[in-house]
Amino acid sequence: MYAPTSTNSPRSGPTSGESGDGLTDFDGAGEILRAWGSGLRPDPDLTVSEWADRHRMLSGRASAEPGRYRTVRTPYMREIMDRLSPGDPTQRIVFMKAAQVGATEAGNNWIGFAIHQAPGPMLAVQPTVELAKRNSRQRIDPLIDESPELRDRVKPARSRDAGNTMLSKEFAGGILIMTGANSAVGLRSTPARYIFLDEVDAYPASADEEGDPVTLAEARSLTFAHRRKVLLVSTPTIRGLSRIEREYEASDQRRYFVPCPHCGAMQWLKFDRLRWQKGKPETAEYHCEGCDAAIAEHHKTAMLEGGEWRATATAADPATVGYHLSALYSPVGWLSWVRIARGCEAAQGSDEAIKAFRNTILGETWVETGEAPDWQRLYDRREVWKPGTVPAGGLFLTAGADVQKDRIEVDVWAWGRGLESWLVDHVVIEGGPDRHDAWSELTALLDRSWPHERGAHLRIARLAIDTGYEAPAVYSWSRAQGFGQVSPVKGVEGFNRSSPVSGPTFVDATEGGKRLRREARLWTVAVSTFKAETYRFLRLARPTEEEMADGAAFPPGSVHLPHWVENEWLKQFVAEQLVTVRTKRGFARLEWQKLRERNEALDCRVYARAAAWIAGADRWPDEKWRDLEDQLGAAPTDTDPAGQINRQGQAPQGKRRSDWLGRRGGWF
């Protein structure tokens, strides 16, 4: 029968004044008892920002300001981090921001907090798997190594222990999985309570053709219901295509309001209130909306400390909050208002530089102008040069081929410095891909040369051919010609300015009815990028005859069209327009739509432009361009005393003719 324990028996050891029973009569007993008692106490109930201030250490190899993390350095990040704490009901946090405002470190604070305070499965997604590996080495490993609380909890990396690898970190009660948005396998690998989606605007449109990476990743958290946390962070890109802008506009659109040091008026910082004398960015000062007084840079620290986030809209989903922040809020010692003003002035005159400024400094989207130029205006701007001749500024040739059912259309373009371009030839090969002679004529075009104004003869450096119609026939012909000169391409919708052409990927080819695995190479082209670029180049202002007489040059990117080009070709060249359409969910997106049925001239231009990109023209150093100019005789005379190409097109002494004419299987 059960006998109750005597109430007089000791429960935890001798009390004060008792002689003891000998169980604790040894050196170090007090330390053991204190450690045991400490282990019984629960961890303090911290928010993410409090945890970061107490436990986060920044490594010198991962931070410009190593040492203990201090939220007071970036006060605007406090609320964003605390929304990620388990005690906050918010499920989705959207942060559209400028570059280098501390967002990534705040996300890493969240990772550290989860490992230490609220363990659970976490998924961290970078744009690519390669970037995920780099982030693991440069950010996550230092995060763990420099914080003792994390170092004790994450399994050490051992050759036989899969608990700590490049893309996987196990800890008590959870695991951190890191992957790229281009890997569908990584996105669906495991359920996740926490999801950190970094730089979502750089994600591909689809992960391995299985769907939107953000949707795939968020689906991993649905089983955690209200306990899930999703953080979406990114610098925005193009309006209508930007993921982070779309998410921000669906949120409560919070802005960080700061007080004026003079009148106390609360306001969020706008770029048009930053003023300076033209040409003197060092005079930059911010002007208050309330009293219009000039605010010096040194006031920013107190302004940030006195700031607060305020919602400016009503969220479609009450569990989602959104934040926007520009580099105007960058702490003193990081990016100053003077440097922002200097960057603005330096960007003038270049659409690409202005776009980068809007995206990375202002944290705003770029409005892509896709209005089709008037073909009649292009007709009036045609230029006269000898038909079939490469003008003096053209330094190499590429071609774009569009395969149709009954013909193959080819445009040959010459390219010069700054991607200035000239239409050199337009060829229509009758008969579709099922006609053997059509491919023979296209092969002959690769062997053809065009005379240069300086006397040389140039061949096509690279031809890009569309695979949208009869891809097997295109692969077979391309393989026979050699992928050093011919590039099969596949156009995809969307903008990708950092890498508008990707690849090559290996695909199957067919020869003599036999399937050859991975024997062809396919390049993927973001056609929207090159279409928008072409229209932007067509809108560039051109110097007048008087200005050219005084030595003025055409701006970089100028498109030169010859007098022999026909009306039909011009209409095809501007046959599409970029429009904003609404999805079923009400979000805006950009889409190219045809204004006319035929658009072969525009397609051929895009493919020829892709060929120039593949050849490396976008990445050549100045030395490469000078070499091309030297080979073609940049400023030759009839006798060409400099020893470059003479009027008869002979190669300079000591140089092989194939080095500068272009050759099958390679160029230069």
Side-chain angles (χ1 to χ4, degrees), residues 313-561:
T314 302
D317 176 10
T320 298
V321 295
Y323 301 87
H324 176 267
L325 200 77
S326 74
L328 292 170
Y329 293 91
S330 188
V332 173
W334 289 12
L335 184 63
S336 68
W337 288 339
V338 170
R339 287 178 59 193
I340 292 175
R342 185 174 291 119
C344 179
E345 289 204 343
Q348 299 308 307
S350 168
D351 278 356
E352 288 298 314
I354 295 174
K355 174 186 178 294
F357 181 83
R358 289 190 65 88
N359 291 167
T360 62
I361 303 300
L362 303 185
E364 298 175 356
T365 51
W366 166 261
V367 180
E368 192 70 70
T369 303
E371 182 178 354
D374 183 7
W375 72 268
Q376 292 178 320
R377 184 168 66 89
L378 299 182
Y379 182 89
D380 295 337
R381 280 175 31 176
R382 295 178 305 165
E383 303 171 35
V384 177
W385 68 79
K386 187 176 179 180
T389 300
V390 181
L395 301 179
F396 71 101
L397 303 180
T398 68
D402 187 20
V403 180
Q404 301 286 327
K405 182 178 180 180
D406 59 350
R407 67 194 184 283
I408 302 175
E409 298 216 11
V410 185
D411 283 339
V412 181
W413 287 85
W415 302 89
R417 280 182 178 268
L419 295 176
E420 192 172 357
S421 60
W422 295 260
L423 178 65
V424 173
D425 209 343
H426 172 62
V427 180
V428 179
I429 300 175
E430 298 297 337
D434 56 347
R435 176 174 170 263
H436 182 270
D437 289 347
W439 294 111
S440 298
E441 292 180 39
L442 188 58
T443 301
L445 193 67
L446 292 176
D447 290 323
R448 178 181 165 185
S449 64
W450 284 260
H452 192 275
E453 185 178 307
R454 300 301 185 189
H457 285 73
L458 299 180
R459 285 165 55 177
I460 295 172
R462 188 171 289 269
L463 179 144
I465 182 169
D466 179 37
T467 60
Y469 184 78
E470 288 293 334
V474 174
Y475 293 148
S476 178
W477 176 80
S478 302
R479 183 173 179 273
Q481 309 315 309
F483 296 110
Q485 190 180 18
V486 176
S487 298
V489 296
K490 173 186 177 182
V492 295
E493 291 300 323
F495 290 83
N496 189 337
R497 291 179 180 272
S498 60
S499 183
V501 183
S502 59
T505 56
F506 293 90
V507 296
D508 296 346
T510 303
E511 186 173 308
K514 182 181 178 181
R515 181 185 179 188
L516 304 174
R517 290 184 57 80
R518 297 171 57 83
E519 288 296 322
R521 301 175 187 177
L522 176 66
W523 297 82
T524 301
V525 180
V527 294
S528 295
T529 300
F530 288 143
K531 288 177 182 177
E533 178 194 80
T534 297
Y535 282 10
R536 187 168 65 253
F537 286 167
L538 289 173
R539 289 192 298 271
L540 291 173
R542 304 161 75 88
T544 64
E545 292 184 2
E546 293 78 9
E547 291 172 334
M548 285 190 289
D550 292 336
F554 284 89
S558 295
V559 179
H560 303 271
L561 302 176

Side-chain angles (χ1 to χ4, degrees), residues 231-246:
L231 174 62
L232 299 94
V233 177
S234 188
T235 301
T237 50
I238 298 172
R239 181 166 300 174
L241 294 177
S242 172
R243 283 188 177 94
I244 199 68
E245 181 191 52
R246 182 171 65 243

Side-chain angles (χ1 to χ4, degrees), residues 177-314:
I177 299 293
M178 292 164 281
T179 189
N182 59 341
S183 171
V185 174
L187 294 176
R188 62 168 185 259
S189 59
T190 181
R193 178 183 176 184
Y194 308 119
I195 298 180
F196 180 17
L197 305 175
D198 199 10
E199 292 300 338
V200 296
D201 270 20
Y203 289 6
S206 180
D208 295 333
E209 300 185 356
E210 292 193 20
D212 175 48
V214 173
T215 303
L216 292 176
E218 287 205 54
R220 300 294 92 207
S221 68
L222 296 180
T223 55
F224 288 90
H226 66 280
R227 296 187 298 134
R228 71 175 186 145
K229 295 285 184 179
V230 180
L231 174 62
L232 299 94
V233 177
S234 188
T235 301
T237 50
I238 298 172
R239 181 166 300 174
L241 294 177
S242 172
R243 283 188 177 94
I244 199 68
E245 181 191 52
R246 182 171 65 243
E247 296 288 352
Y248 176 73
E249 289 183 344
S251 74
D252 56 2
Q253 301 180 30
R254 297 180 177 232
R255 302 277 191 172
Y256 198 65
F257 284 70
V258 294
C260 170
H262 306 300
C263 69
M266 297 294 287
Q267 59 204 287
W268 64 274
L269 302 184
K270 305 177 180 67
F271 179 65
D272 59 8
R273 305 296 303 181
L274 184 66
R275 299 170 185 168
W276 64 93
Q277 298 177 30
K278 186 176 181 180
K280 295 182 178 180
E282 64 275 7
T283 62
E285 292 178 317
Y286 193 88
H287 286 253
C288 171
E289 283 185 4
C291 63
D292 202 40
I295 302 174
E297 182 92 24
H298 66 83
H299 289 297
K300 193 191 295 186
T301 300
M303 294 169 66
L304 293 180
E305 290 177 353
E308 62 183 27
W309 288 102
R310 294 181 181 178
T312 62
T314 302

